[in-house]
Amino acid sequence: MKISVKVPATTANLGPGFDALGLALDLWNETEFLPTNDKQMALTISGEGLGKLPTDASNCIIEAALQVYGQAHKPCNGLRIHCINRVPIGSGLGSSSAAMLTGMLGANALLGNPFSQEEILKMAIETEGHPDNVAPAMLGGLVASIVYEERVVSLKLPARANLGQIHLTVVWPDFDFPTKQARAILPKQVERKDAIYNISRAVLVTEALRTGDLDLLGIAMTDMLHQPYRIPLIPGAQLALEAARQAGAAAVALSGAGPSLIAFSSKVNKIIGKVMSHEFEKAGLSSKIYHLQVSHEGAEVSIL
Ligand code: HSE
């Protein structure tokens, strides 16, 4: 039996929805799992992360798969895993969440699904630490999450059917900005006015995405809790954000903890990516441009 797992990229935060909102994107990692009896964990990669990601037992997919075997109290007699990676690593597009879900979903399917989708989601969120990438990667579309009495409740929100027609431009500068570092630089306490600023706007971001109202998205997708601390640390990012707005983007935000920026527009506008990339280049950084759409679908598991 061979299992195939597809998991989408995600963009977390969406400006004011810090650690709460996330959106699945139409860019997929595809991974095949083949059980063996040779006691070996063999992993190969093509695409993103080739030559950078470990292929031994410290690989996040293997760790996540073995976590599921452990939770199910089942031995793993060996696995051959092949990853076709399209989600760039360390970009702010949820590659580590995608890897974790991939490993957990693959192992769960090989074991005959001892865990429900909800249980796998819970396991992945507990391991990852925050839900805003993992939950949309699993469920697809726009997802809001809360932590409630030590449980995470993640809800897929209604999003307009043509949300998939909103055009997303992601520009990923070649700048090392690990999530751990991007979280460590945030203040431990915030002012009440900043909390109110974000709460009110996060609600309107979900409404703008529900109705497809890009003008509303433009005024709501700003933030006081993380972007003002992170953006100045990414060379060229502030000017890239402003240039994207001037080039016609309705809204622009840091994607997750960065360093990528994500711009929303009603139609494909290649100028947006070019002007953002130009600002990063002026700051000494090369960058990659992705033209993406929202994915209403989340992770998929199939038996081959
Ligand atoms: N919300 C997280 C952060 C990143 O901004 O630090 C993704 O989980």
Side-chain angles (χ1 to χ4, degrees), residues 33-71:
F33 292 79
L34 182 70
T36 61
N37 273 316
D38 58 8
K39 304 278 175 208
Q40 305 283 318
M41 303 299 281
L43 183 136
T44 50
I45 296 172
S46 63
E48 298 292 339
L50 176 64
K52 286 189 200 149
L53 290 173
T55 54
D56 61 10
S58 67
N59 181 282
C60 177
I61 293 178
I62 296 178
E63 283 182 347
L66 292 179
Q67 190 178 335
V68 170
Y69 276 90
Q71 293 275 334

Side-chain angles (χ1 to χ4, degrees), residues 66-152:
L66 292 179
Q67 190 178 335
V68 170
Y69 276 90
Q71 293 275 334
H73 305 291
K74 298 276 186 207
C76 177
N77 294 322
L79 285 177
R80 200 169 302 154
I81 301 171
H82 180 61
C83 310
I84 302 171
N85 287 345
R86 301 193 183 91
V87 182
I89 314 294
S91 60
L93 291 178
S95 64
S96 60
S97 295
M100 188 175 299
L101 271 186
T102 295
M104 290 184 177
L105 289 170
N108 196 42
L110 287 170
L111 287 166
N113 295 312
F115 301 107
S116 66
Q117 191 196 48
E118 203 181 325
E119 287 168 326
I120 291 289
L121 182 57
K122 184 170 178 284
M123 220 185 281
I125 290 170
E126 278 171 8
T127 311
E128 174 73 6
H130 25 93
D132 48 345
N133 283 120
V134 175
M138 182 70 134
L139 304 173
L142 172 64
V143 178
S145 302
I146 60 167
V147 180
Y148 167 73
E149 292 180 352
E150 298 185 13
R151 279 193 306 132
V152 176

